[in-house]
Amino acid sequence: MAKRGRPRKNAKPEEKENPHGTVVLEQLEEGAPITANWSAGSVEGTYSQVFSDSCDKSNISVASVQEQTKDIAKETKYSRNSLGLLQSVDYKFNEDGSVNWRAMVDSKHLFPNKSWFEARNKPTPRSVDGLQDNQLLIKLAGIKELAKLRGYSSVRYNVIKCEKDHVAIKCEISWVPNFENPSQESDYLPASTQFEDVANATTENTSSFATKFLETIAANRAFVRCVRNFLNVHIVGDDEIDKSNGLPQHPEADEVEPLKKLTPNGVLESLASSKLKCNSFNDFKDKLRELWTLELYRNDDAKNWQEYDSVPAKEARLLINIIKNQD
């Protein structure tokens, strides 16, 4: 029978095999480093970390974290504060506390409205200093910059009408909420973060190359009006101006007119104007009557001709030869 003895003091626990190696923790004095030695085969290492009284968790507060976050946000160009305004921008305000978006337009995007001064027989100023809003125009770049300052999430276009000589487009902008236009209605401020406006472009209110890009002109005009009217900026956009000078523009005329002058009817009209001094087709018909009297040209159907294009090509060639041979 085996003897039962007393357990030995400070007996070591039974060591179990550790596939990751063995770890030995050394008892240290208070304030000294805690060292862990480990070994796994031929690899050994030591990890030391000192815990001191200087690392006091009570020094870290929510307020300090928020303050640091605000400092970082101020350094970010497009970060917005709780009012929905950019941190890095110095805004101008109206007396009622709303943003004065007109004052936020950089003067480099403004220039005098030449047509306003010409209509009043006044010289066009070289500077925008001292001019009223109705005497100014704003560039498209200025409108885009203003929209970025206000902040928007999307811009949508809806084609209302698209024809050869008339295009109408609606622009809808979804603005980011701010203190002026919250996302939800309150007792004081209605929810109004979406705004839309309509503009058109026709061959009657455009000129030059613009008559060939009516869709683009109409879209730009709709965007400009949507931004201006939402932000209460009363300077007309340069893209909105009718630059046709009251004359109808036909982009195909530049291509058709030269070809028309090469036809017998076109040559006849040109000769009648330059050599016979005919200012109209009625003047030319008077010349035809003179040719009838002189027995140089007679055609009973001439009384039914209403314009140069109604003259048959064969008859037009005969008349061309007669006019050329006249003294």
Side-chain angles (χ1 to χ4, degrees), residues 25-26 28 32-36 47-51:
L25 296 177
E26 297 182 0
L28 303 173
I34 297 176
T35 304
Y47 171 79
S48 299
Q49 182 176 1
V50 177
F51 293 91

Side-chain angles (χ1 to χ4, degrees), residues 285-299 326:
K285 292 189 75 171
D286 291 337
K287 294 296 182 181
L288 289 179
R289 295 185 182 94
E290 293 180 11
L291 293 176
W292 183 289
T293 304
L294 298 173
E295 297 183 354
L296 295 177
Y297 177 80
R298 290 185 176 184
N299 189 329
Q326 274 192 327

Side-chain angles (χ1 to χ4, degrees), residues 44-320:
E44 295 185 358
T46 300
Y47 171 79
S48 299
Q49 182 176 1
V50 177
F51 293 91
S52 63
D53 294 336
S54 61
C55 181
D56 187 2
K57 292 184 179 180
S58 62
N59 292 335
I60 303 176
S61 64
V62 176
S64 63
V65 172
Q66 290 178 343
E67 191 66 26
Q68 293 177 8
T69 304
K70 288 182 180 179
D71 293 339
I72 295 174
K74 290 180 181 179
E75 298 175 359
T76 306
K77 184 177 181 180
Y78 294 108
S79 297
R80 295 183 179 272
N81 57 27
S82 59
L83 297 178
L85 305 180
L86 291 174
Q87 297 274 12
S88 58
V89 175
D90 183 17
Y91 287 84
K92 309 298 180 182
F93 295 90
N94 298 310
E95 293 182 358
D96 61 357
S98 60
V99 178
N100 185 349
W101 295 104
R102 162 63 184 90
M104 301 298 293
V105 179
D106 195 320
S107 59
K108 68 181 180 181
H109 298 305
L110 302 175
F111 61 98
N113 186 350
K114 183 179 179 181
S115 60
W116 189 92
F117 292 95
E118 288 180 347
R120 293 160 178 79
N121 295 321
K122 295 182 178 181
T124 303
R126 296 184 178 181
S127 172
V128 298
D129 295 339
L131 298 183
Q132 301 297 320
D133 287 353
N134 61 338
Q135 299 173 325
L136 295 170
L137 293 177
I138 184 171
K139 300 177 183 177
L140 179 61
I143 292 294
K144 290 181 177 180
E145 184 176 289
L146 203 58
K148 288 182 66 176
L149 285 176
R150 174 56 182 80
Y152 60 90
S153 56
S154 66
V155 179
R156 298 182 180 89
Y157 295 96
N158 181 24
V159 180
I160 300 174
K161 184 177 182 179
C162 187
E163 297 180 356
K164 183 178 181 180
D165 59 349
H166 187 174
V167 177
I169 291 181
K170 178 175 69 174
C171 175
E172 179 183 341
I173 301 179
S174 296
W175 303 95
V176 297
N178 72 353
F179 75 100
E180 293 178 307
N181 308 97
S183 58
Q184 297 180 350
E185 286 195 16
S186 67
D187 294 337
Y188 305 100
L189 296 173
S192 56
T193 55
Q194 289 188 342
F195 194 82
E196 62 185 33
D197 215 320
V198 179
N200 71 355
T202 71
T203 54
E204 304 295 329
N205 61 19
T206 56
S207 63
S208 186
F209 74 95
T211 58
K212 298 182 180 181
F213 303 96
L214 296 181
E215 297 89 347
T216 302
I217 300 301
N220 287 345
R221 289 177 174 179
F223 176 77
V224 169
R225 291 179 183 179
C226 194
V227 175
R228 288 199 311 104
N229 291 332
F230 182 74
L231 299 180
N232 292 320
V233 176
H234 304 300
I235 304 176
V236 177
D238 180 43
D239 292 77
E240 299 177 88
I241 292 297
D242 180 0
K243 300 177 182 178
S244 63
N245 295 323
L247 300 175
Q249 304 292 321
H250 300 285
E252 70 279 2
D254 296 336
E255 302 172 2
V256 175
E257 193 63 26
L259 296 176
K260 180 180 178 181
K261 292 181 179 179
L262 298 178
T263 63
N265 303 80
V267 174
L268 176 62
E269 181 178 359
S270 179
L271 281 175
S273 175
S274 61
K275 195 166 185 178
L276 302 180
K277 308 302 179 183
C278 297
N279 297 323
S280 65
F281 188 72
N282 288 331
D283 293 342
F284 177 67
K285 292 189 75 171
D286 291 337
K287 294 296 182 181
L288 289 179
R289 295 185 182 94
E290 293 180 11
L291 293 176
W292 183 289
T293 304
L294 298 173
E295 297 183 354
L296 295 177
Y297 177 80
R298 290 185 176 184
N299 189 329
D300 292 335
D301 293 332
K303 60 183 178 182
N304 298 322
W305 298 343
Q306 301 297 323
E307 56 185 357
Y308 288 102
D309 289 340
S310 62
V311 180
K314 181 180 178 181
E315 300 299 321
R317 293 187 183 96
L318 290 174
L319 289 169
I320 290 171

